[in-house]
Amino acid sequence: MKKIIYVVAIVLVALAIGLSLEPNSKKSVIFHVTLADPKLYVNEIFSDSFTIQKGTYQFSFVPNGDSPETLSISLKGTTFSFAEDFQLNGTLHDTGISTYYTWDYFGKKEIQVLEDQPLQIVINPNGNLHGSVSVDLIKI
């Protein structure tokens, strides 16, 4: 049953990201990960490396009610360092005939990189390895 939930979550995340990006937009995703499987973590931490170019970037998330309450993200490069503890926030919507929540992470989402360099990203879900979330870093 959990595998079905993870597959559905991944499909919904991919669809949401696809629909949210404008086809002719200058924005481009330079890093993406969907954390929906505890096997992606080593010692309860996700880590990866990628190369980034000089520019302005923004974090984008696709969370849900089961996502980690606090998502700690750090980026480290030769001349760049960033760390933020993003906090999950649910917003209740009442349509009169139903109620539902939408979810987002609060925290500093925009970063400025002053020169091209390799970066290491470290994502710590602070113990919640089963709550799925997608993390993108988008050039704006």
Side-chain angles (χ1 to χ4, degrees):
M1 183 67 177
K2 284 186 179 181
K3 288 183 181 181
I4 292 171
I5 292 171
Y6 288 137
V7 170
V8 169
I10 291 169
V11 169
L12 290 174
V13 165
L15 183 60
I17 291 170
L19 293 174
S20 69
L21 297 176
E22 298 173 21
N24 294 323
S25 175
K26 292 185 178 184
K27 297 179 181 180
S28 61
V29 176
I30 61 133
F31 174 82
H32 169 81
V33 66
T34 298
L35 299 171
D37 184 351
K39 294 177 186 171
L40 294 171
Y41 299 97
V42 175
N43 296 325
E44 299 190 355
I45 302 290
F46 172 83
S47 179
D48 199 1
S49 297
F50 60 96
T51 301
I52 196 166
Q53 295 178 338
K54 177 182 177 180
T56 304
Y57 296 85
Q58 183 174 21
F59 283 100
S60 175
F61 302 96
V62 182
N64 61 58
D66 292 331
S67 296
E69 189 174 314
T70 301
L71 193 64
S72 301
I73 298 179
S74 66
L75 296 167
K76 294 201 187 304
T78 53
T79 64
F80 181 82
S81 182
F82 169 85
E84 183 73 17
D85 292 326
F86 293 96
Q87 300 298 317
L88 184 63
N89 183 59
T91 302
L92 178 64
H93 301 275
D94 186 350
T95 65
I97 57 172
S98 67
T99 58
Y100 63 94
Y101 281 91
T102 56
W103 301 92
D104 197 7
Y105 279 101
F106 289 158
K108 182 181 178 200
K109 292 184 180 178
E110 192 170 299
I111 61 171
Q112 181 75 34
V113 178
L114 300 178
E115 62 184 55
D116 299 1
Q117 61 192 289
L119 288 183
Q120 179 184 29
I121 186 168
V122 175
I123 302 174
N124 181 349
N126 297 286
N128 186 349
L129 306 183
H130 295 284
S132 65
V133 62
S134 287
V135 179
D136 291 306
L137 189 57
I138 301 168
K139 187 168 186 173
I140 55 176

